[in-house]
Amino acid sequence: MNEEIERDNDLKEYCLDRFLDMCVKADVDVSNFEPHKGPDGDIVAVTIQRYFSGPQTICVEGDAPITMLKELILKGHLG
């Protein structure tokens, strides 16, 4: 895995951690975000683990970290 992908993954994982903190404090139905890596090692999808309903996987391949969060909010109906 190259340094650029590694740096991008670190930033995405940091954003997911902070976003989970916000969701917990706002009583959003989320228990965890589970990133999935593609063959190149980059994060290509995120599974939203929920307390009351089933998990949902959102494709974030090629997204910047802030765009990834936007996709999770919109497609995961977290807003």
Side-chain angles (χ1 to χ4, degrees), residues 38-73:
D40 293 337
D42 56 335
I43 295 175
V44 296
V46 175
T47 298
I48 301 170
Q49 300 292 338
R50 300 176 186 267
Y51 290 109
F52 303 109
S53 57
Q56 178 184 9
T57 301
I58 308 289
C59 178
V60 295
E61 187 170 9
D63 287 352
I66 197 73
T67 305
M68 174 191 71
L69 292 179
K70 181 185 95 173
E71 294 295 316
L72 292 173
I73 291 167

mmCIF file of all heavy atoms in Angstrom, residues 38-73:
data_model
loop_
_atom_site.group_PDB
_atom_site.id
_atom_site.type_symbol
_atom_site.label_atom_id
_atom_site.label_comp_id
_atom_site.label_asym_id
_atom_site.label_seq_id
_atom_site.Cartn_x
_atom_site.Cartn_y
_atom_site.Cartn_z
ATOM 1 N N GLY A 38 -10.386 -2.281 -0.308
ATOM 2 C CA GLY A 38 -10.332 -2.928 -1.609
ATOM 3 C C GLY A 38 -8.998 -3.615 -1.826
ATOM 4 O O GLY A 38 -8.140 -3.649 -0.928
ATOM 5 N N PRO A 39 -8.769 -4.135 -3.026
ATOM 6 C CA PRO A 39 -7.525 -4.864 -3.314
ATOM 7 C C PRO A 39 -6.266 -4.002 -3.205
ATOM 8 O O PRO A 39 -5.191 -4.515 -2.911
ATOM 9 C CB PRO A 39 -7.707 -5.363 -4.746
ATOM 10 C CG PRO A 39 -8.961 -4.773 -5.260
ATOM 11 C CD PRO A 39 -9.690 -4.127 -4.140
ATOM 12 N N ASP A 40 -6.395 -2.699 -3.403
ATOM 13 C CA ASP A 40 -5.243 -1.802 -3.291
ATOM 14 C C ASP A 40 -5.006 -1.345 -1.856
ATOM 15 O O ASP A 40 -4.052 -0.624 -1.583
ATOM 16 C CB ASP A 40 -5.434 -0.569 -4.175
ATOM 17 C CG ASP A 40 -5.415 -0.899 -5.654
ATOM 18 O OD1 ASP A 40 -4.832 -1.947 -6.017
ATOM 19 O OD2 ASP A 40 -5.983 -0.123 -6.438
ATOM 20 N N GLY A 41 -5.899 -1.713 -0.943
ATOM 21 C CA GLY A 41 -5.770 -1.331 0.452
ATOM 22 C C GLY A 41 -6.518 -0.069 0.816
ATOM 23 O O GLY A 41 -6.494 0.364 1.961
ATOM 24 N N ASP A 42 -7.180 0.550 -0.172
ATOM 25 C CA ASP A 42 -7.929 1.772 0.116
ATOM 26 C C ASP A 42 -9.332 1.443 0.608
ATOM 27 O O ASP A 42 -9.880 0.399 0.301
ATOM 28 C CB ASP A 42 -8.004 2.682 -1.110
ATOM 29 C CG ASP A 42 -8.594 1.989 -2.330
ATOM 30 O OD1 ASP A 42 -8.508 0.746 -2.411
ATOM 31 O OD2 ASP A 42 -9.137 2.687 -3.200
ATOM 32 N N ILE A 43 -9.902 2.337 1.404
ATOM 33 C CA ILE A 43 -11.252 2.137 1.930
ATOM 34 C C ILE A 43 -12.245 2.360 0.792
ATOM 35 O O ILE A 43 -12.277 3.439 0.204
ATOM 36 C CB ILE A 43 -11.534 3.076 3.114
ATOM 37 C CG1 ILE A 43 -10.617 2.704 4.282
ATOM 38 C CG2 ILE A 43 -12.998 3.004 3.535
ATOM 39 C CD1 ILE A 43 -10.710 3.629 5.483
ATOM 40 N N VAL A 44 -13.033 1.333 0.482
ATOM 41 C CA VAL A 44 -13.968 1.404 -0.640
ATOM 42 C C VAL A 44 -15.423 1.390 -0.197
ATOM 43 O O VAL A 44 -16.309 1.736 -0.966
ATOM 44 C CB VAL A 44 -13.725 0.271 -1.664
ATOM 45 C CG1 VAL A 44 -12.353 0.413 -2.305
ATOM 46 C CG2 VAL A 44 -13.874 -1.092 -1.026
ATOM 47 N N ALA A 45 -15.672 0.969 1.036
ATOM 48 C CA ALA A 45 -17.044 0.918 1.554
ATOM 49 C C ALA A 45 -17.015 1.011 3.072
ATOM 50 O O ALA A 45 -15.999 0.723 3.704
ATOM 51 C CB ALA A 45 -17.728 -0.378 1.126
ATOM 52 N N VAL A 46 -18.153 1.438 3.621
ATOM 53 C CA VAL A 46 -18.304 1.511 5.069
ATOM 54 C C VAL A 46 -19.644 0.886 5.431
ATOM 55 O O VAL A 46 -20.667 1.217 4.832
ATOM 56 C CB VAL A 46 -18.260 2.974 5.578
ATOM 57 C CG1 VAL A 46 -18.542 3.033 7.067
ATOM 58 C CG2 VAL A 46 -16.926 3.620 5.253
ATOM 59 N N THR A 47 -19.622 -0.041 6.381
ATOM 60 C CA THR A 47 -20.856 -0.632 6.874
ATOM 61 C C THR A 47 -21.273 0.106 8.139
ATOM 62 O O THR A 47 -20.484 0.255 9.070
ATOM 63 C CB THR A 47 -20.691 -2.133 7.174
ATOM 64 O OG1 THR A 47 -20.350 -2.800 5.956
ATOM 65 C CG2 THR A 47 -21.971 -2.731 7.737
ATOM 66 N N ILE A 48 -22.517 0.573 8.124
ATOM 67 C CA ILE A 48 -23.090 1.239 9.293
ATOM 68 C C ILE A 48 -23.762 0.162 10.135
ATOM 69 O O ILE A 48 -24.710 -0.484 9.688
ATOM 70 C CB ILE A 48 -24.141 2.293 8.879
ATOM 71 C CG1 ILE A 48 -23.509 3.343 7.964
ATOM 72 C CG2 ILE A 48 -24.766 2.940 10.109
ATOM 73 C CD1 ILE A 48 -24.524 4.274 7.316
ATOM 74 N N GLN A 49 -23.214 -0.069 11.322
ATOM 75 C CA GLN A 49 -23.814 -1.017 12.256
ATOM 76 C C GLN A 49 -24.796 -0.235 13.117
ATOM 77 O O GLN A 49 -24.442 0.788 13.681
ATOM 78 C CB GLN A 49 -22.742 -1.675 13.130
ATOM 79 C CG GLN A 49 -21.703 -2.447 12.363
ATOM 80 C CD GLN A 49 -22.263 -3.694 11.705
ATOM 81 O OE1 GLN A 49 -23.290 -4.231 12.105
ATOM 82 N NE2 GLN A 49 -21.585 -4.161 10.673
ATOM 83 N N ARG A 50 -26.012 -0.736 13.205
ATOM 84 C CA ARG A 50 -27.055 -0.023 13.938
ATOM 85 C C ARG A 50 -27.508 -0.833 15.152
ATOM 86 O O ARG A 50 -27.347 -2.040 15.202
ATOM 87 C CB ARG A 50 -28.241 0.234 13.028
ATOM 88 C CG ARG A 50 -27.882 1.063 11.814
ATOM 89 C CD ARG A 50 -29.093 1.206 10.895
ATOM 90 N NE ARG A 50 -28.744 1.875 9.667
ATOM 91 C CZ ARG A 50 -28.847 3.172 9.464
ATOM 92 N NH1 ARG A 50 -29.284 3.948 10.413
ATOM 93 N NH2 ARG A 50 -28.518 3.709 8.310
ATOM 94 N N TYR A 51 -28.086 -0.134 16.120
ATOM 95 C CA TYR A 51 -28.628 -0.787 17.307
ATOM 96 C C TYR A 51 -29.942 -1.506 17.006
ATOM 97 O O TYR A 51 -30.143 -2.636 17.410
ATOM 98 C CB TYR A 51 -28.893 0.234 18.427
ATOM 99 C CG TYR A 51 -27.649 0.807 19.044
ATOM 100 C CD1 TYR A 51 -27.292 2.127 18.815
ATOM 101 C CD2 TYR A 51 -26.842 0.027 19.858
ATOM 102 C CE1 TYR A 51 -26.156 2.660 19.399
ATOM 103 C CE2 TYR A 51 -25.694 0.554 20.433
ATOM 104 C CZ TYR A 51 -25.364 1.869 20.195
ATOM 105 O OH TYR A 51 -24.241 2.392 20.766
ATOM 106 N N PHE A 52 -30.853 -0.836 16.311
ATOM 107 C CA PHE A 52 -32.217 -1.333 16.192
ATOM 108 C C PHE A 52 -32.575 -1.897 14.821
ATOM 109 O O PHE A 52 -33.509 -2.664 14.706
ATOM 110 C CB PHE A 52 -33.208 -0.221 16.564
ATOM 111 C CG PHE A 52 -32.965 0.309 17.949
ATOM 112 C CD1 PHE A 52 -32.441 1.573 18.137
ATOM 113 C CD2 PHE A 52 -33.217 -0.469 19.065
ATOM 114 C CE1 PHE A 52 -32.197 2.069 19.413
ATOM 115 C CE2 PHE A 52 -32.969 0.007 20.349
ATOM 116 C CZ PHE A 52 -32.463 1.280 20.514
ATOM 117 N N SER A 53 -31.887 -1.497 13.795
ATOM 118 C CA SER A 53 -32.159 -2.049 12.463
ATOM 119 C C SER A 53 -30.881 -2.696 11.943
ATOM 120 O O SER A 53 -29.828 -2.587 12.545
ATOM 121 C CB SER A 53 -32.664 -0.953 11.521
ATOM 122 O OG SER A 53 -31.725 0.097 11.439
ATOM 123 N N GLY A 54 -30.983 -3.367 10.827
ATOM 124 C CA GLY A 54 -29.836 -4.104 10.306
ATOM 125 C C GLY A 54 -28.722 -3.218 9.773
ATOM 126 O O GLY A 54 -28.884 -2.014 9.617
ATOM 127 N N PRO A 55 -27.570 -3.830 9.490
ATOM 128 C CA PRO A 55 -26.440 -3.080 8.951
ATOM 129 C C PRO A 55 -26.716 -2.616 7.515
ATOM 130 O O PRO A 55 -27.533 -3.199 6.811
ATOM 131 C CB PRO A 55 -25.294 -4.079 8.991
ATOM 132 C CG PRO A 55 -25.933 -5.414 9.005
ATOM 133 C CD PRO A 55 -27.265 -5.244 9.673
ATOM 134 N N GLN A 56 -26.018 -1.568 7.132
ATOM 135 C CA GLN A 56 -26.143 -1.022 5.786
ATOM 136 C C GLN A 56 -24.746 -0.676 5.296
ATOM 137 O O GLN A 56 -23.981 -0.025 6.005
ATOM 138 C CB GLN A 56 -27.023 0.228 5.809
ATOM 139 C CG GLN A 56 -27.180 0.892 4.467
ATOM 140 C CD GLN A 56 -27.980 2.189 4.564
ATOM 141 O OE1 GLN A 56 -28.276 2.684 5.645
ATOM 142 N NE2 GLN A 56 -28.330 2.720 3.411
ATOM 143 N N THR A 57 -24.408 -1.110 4.069
ATOM 144 C CA THR A 57 -23.103 -0.827 3.498
ATOM 145 C C THR A 57 -23.223 0.257 2.438
ATOM 146 O O THR A 57 -24.067 0.172 1.559
ATOM 147 C CB THR A 57 -22.479 -2.104 2.897
ATOM 148 O OG1 THR A 57 -22.361 -3.087 3.942
ATOM 149 C CG2 THR A 57 -21.099 -1.831 2.329
ATOM 150 N N ILE A 58 -22.370 1.263 2.557
ATOM 151 C CA ILE A 58 -22.353 2.402 1.649
ATOM 152 C C ILE A 58 -21.019 2.398 0.894
ATOM 153 O O ILE A 58 -19.949 2.292 1.512
ATOM 154 C CB ILE A 58 -22.471 3.745 2.417
ATOM 155 C CG1 ILE A 58 -23.663 3.742 3.372
ATOM 156 C CG2 ILE A 58 -22.500 4.921 1.454
ATOM 157 C CD1 ILE A 58 -24.998 3.787 2.727
ATOM 158 N N CYS A 59 -21.071 2.519 -0.429
ATOM 159 C CA CYS A 59 -19.866 2.589 -1.255
ATOM 160 C C CYS A 59 -19.256 3.984 -1.151
ATOM 161 O O CYS A 59 -19.940 4.983 -1.363
ATOM 162 C CB CYS A 59 -20.204 2.276 -2.708
ATOM 163 S SG CYS A 59 -18.776 2.401 -3.797
ATOM 164 N N VAL A 60 -17.971 4.052 -0.801
ATOM 165 C CA VAL A 60 -17.269 5.331 -0.686
ATOM 166 C C VAL A 60 -15.975 5.304 -1.491
ATOM 167 O O VAL A 60 -15.057 6.090 -1.248
ATOM 168 C CB VAL A 60 -16.991 5.692 0.793
ATOM 169 C CG1 VAL A 60 -18.284 5.915 1.548
ATOM 170 C CG2 VAL A 60 -16.145 4.634 1.473
ATOM 171 N N GLU A 61 -15.907 4.420 -2.465
ATOM 172 C CA GLU A 61 -14.700 4.260 -3.270
ATOM 173 C C GLU A 61 -14.359 5.557 -3.992
ATOM 174 O O GLU A 61 -15.200 6.145 -4.667
ATOM 175 C CB GLU A 61 -14.883 3.134 -4.284
ATOM 176 C CG GLU A 61 -13.634 2.785 -5.039
ATOM 177 C CD GLU A 61 -13.787 1.523 -5.860
ATOM 178 O OE1 GLU A 61 -14.904 1.000 -5.985
ATOM 179 O OE2 GLU A 61 -12.753 1.069 -6.375
ATOM 180 N N GLY A 62 -13.126 6.007 -3.818
ATOM 181 C CA GLY A 62 -12.651 7.205 -4.480
ATOM 182 C C GLY A 62 -13.086 8.507 -3.835
ATOM 183 O O GLY A 62 -12.727 9.582 -4.304
ATOM 184 N N ASP A 63 -13.855 8.433 -2.746
ATOM 185 C CA ASP A 63 -14.336 9.648 -2.078
ATOM 186 C C ASP A 63 -13.254 10.244 -1.187
ATOM 187 O O ASP A 63 -12.479 9.523 -0.555
ATOM 188 C CB ASP A 63 -15.555 9.353 -1.194
ATOM 189 C CG ASP A 63 -16.817 9.100 -1.986
ATOM 190 O OD1 ASP A 63 -16.807 9.291 -3.219
ATOM 191 O OD2 ASP A 63 -17.829 8.714 -1.365
ATOM 192 N N ALA A 64 -13.248 11.566 -1.104
ATOM 193 C CA ALA A 64 -12.432 12.261 -0.120
ATOM 194 C C ALA A 64 -13.075 12.042 1.246
ATOM 195 O O ALA A 64 -14.274 11.711 1.322
ATOM 196 C CB ALA A 64 -12.381 13.747 -0.451
ATOM 197 N N PRO A 65 -12.347 12.193 2.341
ATOM 198 C CA PRO A 65 -12.922 11.942 3.667
ATOM 199 C C PRO A 65 -14.207 12.710 3.951
ATOM 200 O O PRO A 65 -15.170 12.142 4.456
ATOM 201 C CB PRO A 65 -11.798 12.351 4.616
ATOM 202 C CG PRO A 65 -10.555 12.087 3.844
ATOM 203 C CD PRO A 65 -10.904 12.459 2.420
ATOM 204 N N ILE A 66 -14.272 13.984 3.601
ATOM 205 C CA ILE A 66 -15.474 14.766 3.892
ATOM 206 C C ILE A 66 -16.632 14.329 2.990
ATOM 207 O O ILE A 66 -17.787 14.309 3.419
ATOM 208 C CB ILE A 66 -15.192 16.288 3.792
ATOM 209 C CG1 ILE A 66 -16.284 17.084 4.496
ATOM 210 C CG2 ILE A 66 -15.044 16.738 2.371
ATOM 211 C CD1 ILE A 66 -16.209 17.009 5.981
ATOM 212 N N THR A 67 -16.324 13.935 1.776
ATOM 213 C CA THR A 67 -17.350 13.419 0.869
ATOM 214 C C THR A 67 -17.868 12.077 1.375
ATOM 215 O O THR A 67 -19.063 11.791 1.275
ATOM 216 C CB THR A 67 -16.790 13.273 -0.558
ATOM 217 O OG1 THR A 67 -16.249 14.528 -0.974
ATOM 218 C CG2 THR A 67 -17.853 12.822 -1.534
ATOM 219 N N MET A 68 -16.976 11.267 1.944
ATOM 220 C CA MET A 68 -17.378 9.996 2.534
ATOM 221 C C MET A 68 -18.417 10.232 3.634
ATOM 222 O O MET A 68 -19.441 9.553 3.682
ATOM 223 C CB MET A 68 -16.155 9.279 3.114
ATOM 224 C CG MET A 68 -16.471 8.022 3.887
ATOM 225 S SD MET A 68 -15.067 7.371 4.825
ATOM 226 C CE MET A 68 -14.922 8.604 6.121
ATOM 227 N N LEU A 69 -18.158 11.228 4.500
ATOM 228 C CA LEU A 69 -19.108 11.526 5.574
ATOM 229 C C LEU A 69 -20.443 11.988 5.013
ATOM 230 O O LEU A 69 -21.504 11.595 5.498
ATOM 231 C CB LEU A 69 -18.539 12.588 6.513
ATOM 232 C CG LEU A 69 -17.348 12.157 7.359
ATOM 233 C CD1 LEU A 69 -16.883 13.313 8.227
ATOM 234 C CD2 LEU A 69 -17.674 10.943 8.199
ATOM 235 N N LYS A 70 -20.404 12.809 3.968
ATOM 236 C CA LYS A 70 -21.634 13.275 3.335
ATOM 237 C C LYS A 70 -22.438 12.098 2.793
ATOM 238 O O LYS A 70 -23.651 12.009 3.006
ATOM 239 C CB LYS A 70 -21.318 14.254 2.198
ATOM 240 C CG LYS A 70 -22.550 14.802 1.505
ATOM 241 C CD LYS A 70 -22.184 15.651 0.324
ATOM 242 C CE LYS A 70 -22.255 14.754 -0.880
ATOM 243 N NZ LYS A 70 -22.087 15.394 -2.160
ATOM 244 N N GLU A 71 -21.770 11.158 2.135
ATOM 245 C CA GLU A 71 -22.440 9.974 1.600
ATOM 246 C C GLU A 71 -23.055 9.128 2.716
ATOM 247 O O GLU A 71 -24.158 8.616 2.583
ATOM 248 C CB GLU A 71 -21.469 9.132 0.771
ATOM 249 C CG GLU A 71 -20.978 9.790 -0.496
ATOM 250 C CD GLU A 71 -22.100 10.028 -1.497
ATOM 251 O OE1 GLU A 71 -22.921 9.127 -1.691
ATOM 252 O OE2 GLU A 71 -22.141 11.133 -2.061
ATOM 253 N N LEU A 72 -22.335 8.982 3.816
ATOM 254 C CA LEU A 72 -22.856 8.206 4.945
ATOM 255 C C LEU A 72 -24.098 8.870 5.528
ATOM 256 O O LEU A 72 -25.067 8.183 5.855
ATOM 257 C CB LEU A 72 -21.788 8.035 6.033
ATOM 258 C CG LEU A 72 -20.606 7.152 5.667
ATOM 259 C CD1 LEU A 72 -19.549 7.208 6.764
ATOM 260 C CD2 LEU A 72 -21.035 5.728 5.411
ATOM 261 N N ILE A 73 -24.069 10.183 5.649
ATOM 262 C CA ILE A 73 -25.223 10.906 6.209
ATOM 263 C C ILE A 73 -26.423 10.784 5.280
ATOM 264 O O ILE A 73 -27.534 10.448 5.715
ATOM 265 C CB ILE A 73 -24.876 12.386 6.455
ATOM 266 C CG1 ILE A 73 -23.862 12.499 7.591
ATOM 267 C CG2 ILE A 73 -26.132 13.196 6.774
ATOM 268 C CD1 ILE A 73 -23.223 13.875 7.719
#
